[in-house]
């Protein structure tokens, strides 16, 4: 609708404008006043609208923390070592130390998730009394360097709830003292067999040695007794239970053993 009125008061102009009615013209003085009044009205409306919005809604939302980037390759492992890790392995226990002749290690369980590898806690461990070797022989007091499957578990105590096949037996009892005079009792309360010179899918107590007796065998991850071992790897009892709970045959777990320099090859 258009009004053929030559002049409108400021109040009338505002009313007409609010109703969407177009006029032909306003008087010059009223036009200027109407513009100032309209601008003031718009400012008041904006102020009222802004003040009615809660501060939390008006403020920009906090940017969500970006998800940490997971490594696509297992850290510390060189091409030769990585090539030995099975493509279907989604759990890898890396047991390593700084020196080839050291009897101490660190153990970390890595889990493949979302196309990368997620690191677990770092656990203190012991290994062979004389360190590590690329070619283990019975009685050499070294832990073997290499990649070994983790398919079977057992111990003197009852199954703590692992998904691995578990063989409980009193035959896992051990006595005497270790290299530093520490008692060995309880060392085999829980064990996980390393698939070194053994038949996978059998009890850790199985004595089959495909490579022959001279290459040793019976090398396990077991409960730490406070000192180095003849060739096994040992973790605290609490960490052994955590590892047994975590390992899942469906993830094809393996262990990688060696000093840092050897594993970086």
């Amino acid at each position: 609708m258009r009004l053929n009125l030559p002049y409108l008061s400021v109040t009338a102009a505002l009313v007409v404008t609010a109703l969407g009615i177009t006029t032909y013209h306003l008087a010059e003085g009223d036009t200027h006043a109407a513009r100032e009044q309209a601008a003031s009205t718009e400012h008041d409306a904006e102020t009222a609208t802004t003040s009615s919005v809660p501060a939390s809604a008006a403020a920009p939302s906090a940017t969500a923390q970006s998800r940490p980037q997971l490594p696509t390759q297992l850290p510390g492992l060189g091409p030769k070592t990585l090539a030995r890790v099975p493509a279907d392995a989604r759990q890898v226990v890396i047991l390593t130390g700084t020196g080839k002749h050291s009897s101490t290690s660190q153990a970390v369980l890595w889990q493949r998730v979302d196309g990368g590898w997620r690191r677990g806690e770092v656990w203190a461990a012991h290994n062979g009394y004389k360190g590590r070797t690329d070619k283990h022989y019975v009685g050499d007091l070294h832990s073997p360097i290499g990649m070994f499957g983790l398919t079977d578990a057992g111990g003197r105590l009852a199954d703590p709830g692992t998904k691995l096949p578990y063989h409980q037996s009193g035959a896992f009892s051990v006595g005497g003292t270790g290299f530093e005079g520490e008692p060995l009792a309880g060392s085999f309360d829980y064990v996980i067999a390393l698939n070194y010179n053994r038949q996978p899918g059998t009890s850790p107590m199985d004595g089959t040695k495909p490579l022959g007796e001279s290459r040793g065998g019976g090398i396990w991850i077991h409960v730490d007794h406070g000192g180095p071992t003849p060739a096994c790897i040992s973790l605290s009892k609490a960490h052994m239970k955590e590892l047994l709970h975590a390992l899942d045959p469906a993830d094809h777990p393996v262990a990688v053993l060696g000093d840092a320099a050897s594993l970086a090859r």
Side-chain angles (χ1 to χ4, degrees):
M1 179 189 298
R2 293 189 176 185
L3 300 179
N4 292 315
L5 297 178
Y7 301 102
L8 291 173
S9 67
V10 172
T11 302
L14 291 174
V15 171
V16 170
T17 300
L19 294 174
I21 303 172
T22 305
T23 63
Y24 279 117
H25 67 274
L26 296 176
E28 183 178 350
D30 285 348
T31 300
H32 178 71
R35 286 175 179 170
E36 290 187 339
Q37 182 64 30
S40 176
T41 303
E42 289 177 1
H43 174 73
D44 290 343
E46 290 176 359
T47 302
T49 301
T50 303
S51 63
S52 65
V53 177
S56 59
S61 58
T63 303
Q65 290 186 351
S66 59
R67 197 171 189 178
Q69 187 67 38
L70 298 176
T72 57
Q73 298 282 6
L74 289 163
L77 304 189
K80 183 178 178 180
T81 306
L82 284 169
R84 301 183 64 183
V85 178
D88 60 357
R90 293 188 296 274
Q91 289 182 320
V92 177
V93 182
I94 298 181
L95 297 142
T96 188
T98 55
K100 193 168 185 177
H101 303 293
S102 171
S103 63
T104 58
S105 300
Q106 289 185 329
V108 179
L109 172 61
W110 290 84
Q111 179 80 44
R112 190 195 293 272
V113 291
D114 299 330
W117 290 94
R118 183 180 62 209
R119 190 185 75 171
E121 295 180 14
V122 179
W123 298 329
H126 280 102
N127 53 266
Y129 180 71
K130 292 187 177 180
R132 309 160 179 90
T133 181
D134 286 300
K135 199 164 185 179
H136 173 73
Y137 286 95
V138 65
D140 68 8
L141 303 182
H142 290 80
S143 295
I145 294 173
M147 191 285 304
F148 309 102
L150 302 174
T151 56
D152 305 284
R156 184 181 65 87
L157 300 182
D159 182 354
T162 185
K163 294 179 182 178
L164 297 175
Y166 189 88
H167 176 211
Q168 181 187 9
S169 172
F172 286 99
S173 296
V174 62
T177 57
F179 293 104
E180 298 177 354
E182 73 280 10
L184 299 179
S187 299
F188 301 156
D189 282 355
Y190 301 115
V191 311
I192 302 168
L194 292 172
N195 286 349
Y196 169 82
N197 198 17
R198 71 178 299 268
Q199 182 61 48
T202 62
S203 165
M205 297 296 291
D206 185 86
T208 304
K209 295 180 174 61
L211 300 177
E213 293 291 333
S214 66
R215 297 299 302 277
I219 299 179
W220 302 337
I221 304 174
H222 61 69
V223 176
D224 189 67
H225 44 75
T229 73
C232 294
I233 304 297
S234 60
L235 301 172
S236 73
K237 193 169 189 174
H239 292 155
M240 276 298 298
K241 291 178 74 172
E242 286 187 52
L243 184 57
L244 283 164
H245 285 150
L247 294 180
D248 187 343
D251 287 333
H252 307 284
V254 298
V256 177
L257 278 65
D259 58 287
S262 295
L263 296 187
R265 294 180 296 198

